[in-house]
Amino acid sequence: MSVFDSIVGQSQAIETLKKASVAAKTHSNNQEMTHSWLFVGPPGSGRSNLAIAFATSLICPNNGCGDCTDCTTARLGNHPDIEIFATEGISIKVDDIRELVTRGSWGASISPFRVVVIEDCDRMTEAAANALLKSIEEPGSQTVWLLCAPSIDEVLPTIRSRCRVLSLATPQWRDVAALLQREGIDATMAAFAARAAQGHVGRARGLATNEAS
C-alpha cells in the first residue's frame, strides 16, 4: 500500500510527486524534482498530509511503499530525517524558522534526504520568511523544504517565487466516501459523512467514526 493511497482527489498532484520521488533517487536531470515545494489548497484538501506522504516517499528506498521501516517510522511521526513544524499560535516567529534552518542544514542521517515540512507557512512573519528565503533559494543537496498554505496569495511573493507550486482542490464527496469505505465505514454512513463534511476528509472521518460508535 503506497503512502499516497490515503490522499483523496489529488491524482494529478500525486502523479507529479511520484515522478519527482523517482527522479530524486535516480539523480535525473529531467526537472521533475526540486528542493523547494509549496502545497496550496483549502482546508480539508489534504495539503499537509500530501506533503508528509511526499516526504515519506523521499526517505523510503521504494518511493513510499508504505510497508518498510522508514515508512512505518514516518507514519508514527518519529523518523529522524523528517521534521514537521506546526504552530498553534497566530504567527510563526523568526526564531522558530532560524532553528528550523539550522536543523535543516544538518543533512540526512539515515536516508537520501532530510525533509522539513512547514504547515501553515502563510503564518510566517516577514522576518521569518526572510530567514527562510536563502535556504529555499539554495538548499543543501540533501535538504528538501515542503511548505503548506491555504492559498498562494497568502504566501509572500519572495517565498512562492522560489518554490514549485502544487495547487490542490477540495475532494469530491464521492472520493471521500470511497476512502471511508476502504477504512471500514458502512457505505451509507460514509456517504452521509462525506456529504455533510463537504469534502473535508478529516471532518468526514470524525463524523463517520463518532456516529458509528
Side-chain angles (χ1 to χ4, degrees), residues 76-90:
L76 295 173
N78 52 17
H79 194 285
D81 290 326
I82 297 178
E83 178 158 2
I84 302 168
F85 179 84
T87 181
E88 297 290 332
I90 297 173

Side-chain angles (χ1 to χ4, degrees), residues 173 176-178 180-181 185-195 204 208:
W173 73 265
V176 177
L180 294 179
Q181 288 184 67
I185 301 297
D186 171 78
T188 301
M189 176 58 70
F192 162 76
R195 284 178 181 273

Side-chain angles (χ1 to χ4, degrees), residues 29-111:
N29 293 319
N30 62 6
Q31 308 301 312
E32 297 284 359
M33 180 61 187
T34 183
H35 283 67
S36 303
W37 296 75
L38 175 59
F39 296 71
V40 296
S45 60
R47 59 180 184 266
S48 296
N49 288 336
L50 182 56
I52 293 168
F54 181 42
T56 305
S57 76
L58 289 172
I59 57 92
C60 169
N62 301 307
N63 301 309
C65 65
D67 298 320
C68 68
T69 301
D70 285 306
C71 286
T72 301
T73 309
R75 184 167 59 247
L76 295 173
N78 52 17
H79 194 285
D81 290 326
I82 297 178
E83 178 158 2
I84 302 168
F85 179 84
T87 181
E88 297 290 332
I90 297 173
S91 63
I92 299 174
K93 304 293 196 300
V94 63
D95 288 344
D96 295 325
I97 295 301
R98 283 174 178 158
E99 289 178 9
L100 274 180
V101 167
T102 297
R103 292 196 295 272
S105 67
W106 291 345
S109 57
I110 60 173
S111 309

